[in-house]
Amino acid sequence: MARIVMKFGGTSVADLDRIRTVAGRVKREVEAGNQVAVVVSAMAGATNQLVRWCQDLSPLHDAREYDTVVATGEQVTIGLLAIALQAVGVEARSWQGWQVPILTDSAHGKARVEGIDGSELVRRMEAGQVPVVAGFQGVEPERNRVTTLGRGGSDLSAVALAAALKADRCDIYTDVDGIYTTDPRIVPRARKLERVSYEEMLELASVGAKVLQTRSVELAMKQRVRVQVLSSFEDKPGSLVVDEDEIVEQPLVSGIAYSRDDAKVTLRRVPDRPGVAARVFDALAGANVNVDMIVQNVGADGTTDMTFTVGKADLARAQDVLGRVREELGYEALLADPEVAKISVVGIGMRSHAGVATTMFRALAEKGINIQVISTSEIKVSVLVGAEYTELAVRALHTAYGLDGPAG
Ligand code: ADP
Ligand code: ASP
Ligand code: MG
């Protein structure tokens, strides 16, 4: 007997037929003698619609009310899945975040999980009941209000629940059958990875591979939760996220990711003197705008150009706050370009091998793709390119690093 957390994403619960299929899968695990807790997302597209409604009413809406609205998607699916389970003879009960409770901090829209009291769920599971828990949501105890964990946050709900319940496994069911060398929807020759290390998965997720949400991988790594990604439509083995030393063969590059969620900002002709960069990034941090890649050119006439990326969702705020310090900083112009993509290659093998970046730059040059910004970390190289080159760049790099699987 094992204790398992099964998480189903939006496409897996997109309609009633799929919810019935999910109920069937859960039933099988229960009949195999396992204790099961389920976490579900909202139906595919539902959260996007809820977010749009908030934005259309007011672009700078109250974050607490945003959470009130967007958390509702998951309330629908937990109830429906509980009904579907009961209909096939599985004892089940739905749980919203506050009912468990899943306690978070009060950073609405991107709250952090601070603790889960799993005792009642465990009692129910031991008595043969299946708790169906709403992903993506929690409650902050200070004002007793509903919070959400950031987009894709149901993965985090599942991992956090698995840790709290001391589950043997956390199975993430989705619309692909595992973690691939890159997004299989862009590169049909992407290969499925049987195992991927926490470190690599964390880096891949943080640069855009949305198959697992970044914080969920971070938590799994910290709490040593065994995460498996597998298909909710097909019966086949998925991919395991494991410790580095469980991976026998470590290729130089294990994956390629892309993100179109960033925008490029350039400050033209900033005075080239100490303290200017500190002032720019201070102002952005003060407005809660995260900065990712940064480049600064060598100054010529006492001024320099400074380029960096921010999340697209934060671009308006970044422009606003930098506009307000323009006189103080004395830069000539602010240029904003949202039509960019960040392409990253990730691999633990990079720690001990040089030349990874060169291969990347050469492969992109051969396709005539101009690199706008570069950034690196111990196991990653990222470049910023024009958004129109996203697919071309990902495919070219996938081939250049020898990751292509058999055609077809
Ligand atoms: P869910 O709704 O189940 O949470 P997501 O859409 O959040 O599903 O994540 C699954 C998607 O992640 C896949 O459909 C795929 O397009 C994308 N993806 C991006 N990179 C990868 C990768 N390296 N391996 C597998 N899927 C990836
Ligand atoms: N429904 C939420 C979203 O779309 C959470 C999730 O699916 O993981 O972001
Ligand atoms: Mg997801």
Side-chain angles (χ1 to χ4, degrees):
M1 189 215 74
R3 182 175 292 170
I4 310 167
V5 170
M6 303 172 79
K7 180 257 170 178
F8 295 89
T11 42
S12 311
V13 292
D15 56 39
L16 297 185
D17 271 341
R18 290 193 177 170
I19 290 176
R20 284 190 197 98
T21 306
V22 167
R25 281 199 175 269
V26 173
K27 183 178 175 159
R28 260 196 292 167
E29 292 289 10
V30 171
E31 285 179 344
N34 297 312
Q35 288 182 6
V36 180
V38 182
V39 172
V40 284
S41 293
M43 289 177 164
T47 310
N48 287 346
Q49 175 62 267
L50 296 167
V51 171
R52 256 194 317 272
W53 280 336
C54 295
Q55 270 161 355
D56 287 353
L57 275 179
S58 165
L60 291 175
H61 47 256
D62 184 326
R64 278 182 245 165
E65 301 312 335
Y66 165 92
D67 277 352
T68 302
V69 176
V70 300
T72 58
E74 275 73 10
Q75 184 170 344
V76 174
T77 46
I78 52 172
L80 291 175
L81 181 58
I83 292 172
L85 283 166
Q86 291 168 4
V88 293
V90 177
E91 212 190 306
R93 185 59 64 206
S94 66
W95 294 79
Q96 293 179 55
W98 63 269
Q99 291 173 307
V100 176
I102 296 174
L103 299 176
T104 73
D105 64 13
S106 55
H108 285 276
K110 48 176 188 294
R112 285 188 170 272
V113 176
E114 299 209 311
I116 298 181
D117 181 355
S119 52
E120 181 59 18
L121 298 193
V122 167
R123 205 180 60 72
R124 306 264 185 134
M125 287 163 83
E126 282 170 348
Q129 197 178 78
V130 173
V132 182
V133 181
F136 186 49
Q137 54 168 263
V139 60
E140 59 89 14
E142 213 172 297
R143 299 196 193 87
N144 200 26
R145 300 211 63 98
V146 171
T147 52
T148 62
L149 311 179
R151 297 305 308 269
S154 295
D155 296 331
L156 176 60
S157 308
V159 171
L161 194 65
L165 300 177
K166 299 194 170 38
D168 300 291
R169 289 200 327 258
C170 181
D171 290 344
I172 308 276
Y173 288 87
T174 184
D175 57 358
V176 285
D177 61 4
I179 299 162
Y180 279 74
T181 46
T182 192
D183 188 342
R185 293 185 199 290
I186 288 211
V187 181
R189 294 180 69 172
R191 275 186 296 114
K192 185 154 97 181
L193 300 165
E194 230 172 276
R195 283 158 189 265
V196 56
S197 69
Y198 289 115
E199 289 82 357
E200 283 169 313
M201 192 59 235
L202 183 58
E203 199 82 51
L204 280 169
S206 74
V207 291
K210 65 172 184 161
V211 61
L212 285 175
Q213 189 231 25
T214 310
R215 281 200 205 155
S216 73
V217 185
E218 206 171 40
L219 186 68
M221 180 161 128
K222 206 158 85 191
Q223 304 270 347
R224 289 299 183 246
V225 175
R226 270 189 99 75
V227 173
Q228 186 178 193
V229 174
L230 59 180
S231 165
S232 60
F233 308 121
E234 287 172 283
D235 257 322
K236 47 176 162 175
S239 303
L240 274 175
V241 189
V242 297
D243 271 327
E244 210 175 300
D245 49 18
E246 281 187 56
I247 295 177
V248 193
E249 198 193 339
Q250 287 183 344
L252 201 54
V253 165
S254 45
I256 294 167
Y258 64 91
S259 163
R260 294 193 189 99
D261 298 337
D262 302 293
K264 184 178 73 165
V265 176
T266 301
L267 294 179
R268 292 290 311 277
R269 297 176 59 83
V270 188
D272 197 9
R273 58 176 152 77
V276 170
R279 188 68 194 95
V280 168
F281 297 113
D282 248 9
L284 291 168
N288 241 329
V289 175
N290 286 333
V291 175
D292 180 20
M293 309 168 99
I294 303 176
V295 278
Q296 184 180 321
N297 293 339
V298 178
D301 53 356
T303 73
T304 181
D305 288 353
M306 201 182 264
T307 296
F308 49 87
T309 59
V310 299
K312 253 184 204 158
D314 290 338
L315 180 59
R317 226 162 346 126
Q319 284 174 294
D320 178 54
V321 64
L322 291 173
R324 275 191 263 137
V325 294
R326 177 168 175 188
E327 230 156 79
E328 177 196 336
L329 286 170
Y331 63 84
E332 188 183 281
L334 185 157
L335 313 176
D337 181 4
E339 295 304 315
V340 291
K342 183 172 70 179
I343 316 289
S344 308
V345 301
V346 171
I348 280 178
M350 278 183 216
R351 281 193 194 132
S352 46
H353 284 83
V356 170
T358 320
T359 304
M360 184 176 201
F361 303 155
R362 198 177 301 127
L364 295 173
E366 275 166 14
K367 297 288 178 195
I369 301 172
N370 187 39
I371 298 171
Q372 305 182 8
V373 186
I374 301 168
S375 76
T376 62
S377 78
E378 198 190 14
I379 64 166
K380 174 202 80 190
V381 184
S382 299
V383 294
L384 200 70
V385 301
E388 67 273 28
Y389 297 117
T390 311
E391 278 93 353
L392 183 63
V394 172
R395 291 198 190 110
L397 294 174
H398 200 263
T399 304
Y401 290 106
L403 295 173
D404 287 350

